Amino acid sequence: MSPVSDYDLHSHSTASDGTLEPRLLVQRAHAAGVRALALTDHDTTAGLEAATDEGQRLGLVLIPGVEVSVTWHGRTVHVVGLHVERGHPLLEAGLSGLRAFREWRAAEIARRLEQHGVAGAYEGARRLATGAIVSRTHFARYIVERGLARDLREVFRRFLVRHKPGHVPGEWASLEDAVRWIRAAGGQAVLAHPARYRLAGPQLRGLIGEFRECGGEAIEVVSGSHSREDCLVMAAETTAAGLRASTGSDYHGPDNPWLELGTLPALPQGCAPVWENWSH
Ligand code: AMP
Ligand code: MN
Ligand code: MN
Ligand code: MN
């Protein structure tokens, strides 16, 4: 059995689509034995101040991060930034553009759902989104709350993915811009949960190659959404590309019972950890 990792470099709070306030998230990670946690909310750094403060209080290393939404050849992919400087003007301007798109998209999703007989989705999602952004997760929670589906997965499958009534194509940052904003803010760019994109080998290598050319530094090899097999495949691709490896639960709150903080396995042998040269 592989030991549990001290590091968890991907998580969400109520500043985006997590269900725990930043301070509570840090408390829970600390109690679960996580030594270094990155808060990486979608397209916002609004939770970082409180999380950093709580990390200092408890003696947990809080790595300021963000998860940037990207459109790459018509698909949505995610790039995590680690150690980003909070309030950096270029990064914040970029994220603010993405949040503006989210606002427009939320109204558009609601309009489409309304035509499909789901009433009040805009107000519902807005109410459930108490932080800086509205995400599809908030629409999913509203639809579950209305009793129109059993769980979030079912909502995504029936309403919110391509070819389904509430789907609105993303128009997010380019891969190049996302990496540039993160690096300008002093951060390291990590390609998030690559197995989730379900790319065939050549496409995956294309994505990793472009990401590296833009200045990307690491790939999330271990992820809460990767199977053991996915981890091993991504470890091999990452090493072959000469990139570093990261690990992150992508935790969104305690109501996802299949994944708890402090349970991530260590990186597979042969990976160069993204934290190798960190001072903490
Ligand atoms: P958005 O960035 O607003 O398009 O929302 C994407 C978020 O939805 C992801 O970060 C996940 O938290 C969540 N999500 C995506 N697919 C699923 C799914 N099949 N089941 C549950 N949550 C999902
Ligand atoms: Mn999410
Ligand atoms: Mn993601
Ligand atoms: Mn995430």
Side-chain angles (χ1 to χ4, degrees):
M1 248 193 45
S2 51
V4 167
S5 178
D6 286 339
Y7 290 81
D8 185 341
L9 304 179
H10 188 153
S11 70
H12 296 273
S13 74
T14 47
S16 63
D17 59 352
T19 56
L20 294 179
E21 298 271 338
R23 283 178 192 278
L24 286 175
L25 172 75
V26 173
Q27 287 167 19
R28 195 173 175 102
H30 181 251
V34 174
R35 209 173 64 76
L37 176 77
L39 177 61
T40 57
D41 276 307
H42 299 287
D43 307 326
T44 177
T45 58
L48 293 180
E49 190 172 355
T52 303
D53 199 60
E54 194 62 16
Q56 262 163 15
R57 197 177 72 79
L58 294 170
L60 173 145
V61 177
L62 191 287
I63 291 136
V66 66
E67 183 173 16
V68 182
S69 306
V70 165
T71 301
W72 180 77
H73 296 283
R75 297 169 182 273
T76 296
V77 303
H78 288 167
V79 175
V80 159
L82 298 176
H83 285 118
V84 292
E85 181 194 321
R86 222 171 352 112
H88 185 279
L90 187 71
L91 176 63
E92 292 300 336
L95 298 180
S96 145
L98 297 178
R99 293 196 297 272
F101 173 69
R102 281 186 176 280
E103 286 299 321
W104 174 86
R105 184 187 69 156
E108 185 60 20
I109 290 175
R111 195 180 66 75
R112 294 186 193 196
L113 287 173
E114 187 96 35
Q115 287 175 345
H116 197 71
V118 182
Y122 185 80
E123 294 71 22
R126 265 255 146 260
R127 167 171 54 78
L128 294 168
T130 52
I133 64 134
V134 188
S135 108
R136 281 184 295 164
T137 311
H138 302 110
F139 282 96
R141 290 195 187 121
Y142 171 72
I143 287 171
V144 170
E145 185 186 279
R146 286 276 315 274
L148 300 170
R150 272 189 314 274
D151 57 26
L152 299 189
R153 272 169 204 236
E154 186 187 328
V155 181
F156 272 87
R157 200 175 60 241
R158 282 179 42 208
F159 297 92
L160 297 177
V161 294
R162 205 179 301 194
H163 307 304
K164 296 300 154 106
H167 179 252
V168 178
E171 290 170 30
W172 307 112
S174 67
L175 188 60
E176 197 181 353
D177 280 347
V179 174
R180 197 164 52 84
W181 301 340
I182 289 166
R183 286 168 63 96
Q188 298 164 287
V190 181
L191 183 64
H193 44 59
R196 280 253 295 267
Y197 313 136
R198 310 207 170 285
L199 299 170
Q203 285 174 300
L204 175 66
R205 269 161 235 140
L207 171 59
I208 291 175
E210 262 185 59
F211 176 68
R212 188 185 51 196
E213 267 163 42
C214 293
E217 224 169 290
I219 311 275
E220 228 170 55
V221 166
V222 171
S223 160
S225 56
H226 282 178
S227 69
R228 187 69 200 148
E229 170 71 17
D230 292 336
C231 293
L232 296 174
V233 169
M234 293 311 160
E237 294 293 345
T238 299
T239 314
L243 292 172
R244 294 186 173 275
S246 187
T247 180
S249 61
D250 205 0
Y251 188 70
H252 280 72
D255 33 1
N256 294 347
W258 59 89
L259 179 78
E260 202 26 271
L261 288 166
T263 62
L264 281 178
L267 288 174
Q269 295 244 317
C271 289
V274 65
W275 57 82
E276 209 160 52
N277 299 325
W278 293 0
S279 54
H280 42 254

